[in-house]
Amino acid sequence: MAQLQVKPTRMELTNLKKKRKVAARGHKLMKDKRDEMVRRFIAYARRNKELREQVEQKLSAAMGQFVLARAEMSGEAIEEALAYPARPATVSVDTQHVLSLKMPKLSLETSDTFDYPYGFMNTSAELDSAVSAFAEVLPMLIELAEVEKICNSLADEIEKTRRRVNALEYVMIPQFDEAIREIKMKLDENDRGNTTRLMKTKEMLANRE
């Protein structure tokens, strides 16, 4: 570990003690922030797992209904039936703050009413079920995308904060402690030398008398 290059003076000792105190305070704050981010990350990760399982289950069921619909209807009939959306949908992107970090906030805006975009004369009941299931899973997909992005951002920030905490704990603070110890030893050595010289001077003066 590289050592700090400092002058063995009392002013330098005072400055190092102040820097060490600031580093220790910063270490505690970042450690607390890291711990809170880990707690939030775990909560979002659990929500992400829950959403993903629900989305996969619903998408699988919807695709199953769609496959059955394709077996009963021609490709042209399905394309014509799905040429228009069941209801208009808009995804708006905003920002939210999680522990002072900017995170995406996705909002799905749709109409309150749901209408099939086709008549029922030339379509199958399986297509109705598939369209309804896809419409139902869309809000969950939007939330899943938001939660996954937050999880990724938190994971990156946790890693950055962990590196800063380790740098303070294992590099900077030990360097300050070592430099303070060396300066104290040097100052004590100088004090002992000055005391010895003063005693010898007094002894010499006393002998002259």
Side-chain angles (χ1 to χ4, degrees), residues 133-163:
F134 282 126
E136 181 182 351
V137 79
L138 181 57
M140 299 174 66
L141 280 170
I142 301 302
E143 184 182 357
L144 178 61
E146 176 186 310
V147 172
E148 282 197 345
K149 180 61 178 177
I150 292 176
C151 284
N152 292 335
S153 299
L154 278 176
D156 292 341
E157 193 63 27
I158 288 171
E159 179 62 20
K160 292 177 184 177
T161 305
R162 184 189 67 82
R163 291 177 181 174

Side-chain angles (χ1 to χ4, degrees), residues 162-174:
R162 184 189 67 82
R163 291 177 181 174
R164 295 189 186 109
V165 169
N166 289 343
L168 284 171
E169 184 172 351
Y170 299 110
V171 180
M172 290 190 66
I173 292 178

Side-chain angles (χ1 to χ4, degrees), residues 55-70:
V55 165
E56 289 179 353
Q57 181 181 1
K58 290 182 178 296
L59 281 179
S60 178
M63 288 302 298
Q65 293 295 323
F66 189 73
V67 169
L68 293 176
R70 284 187 62 90

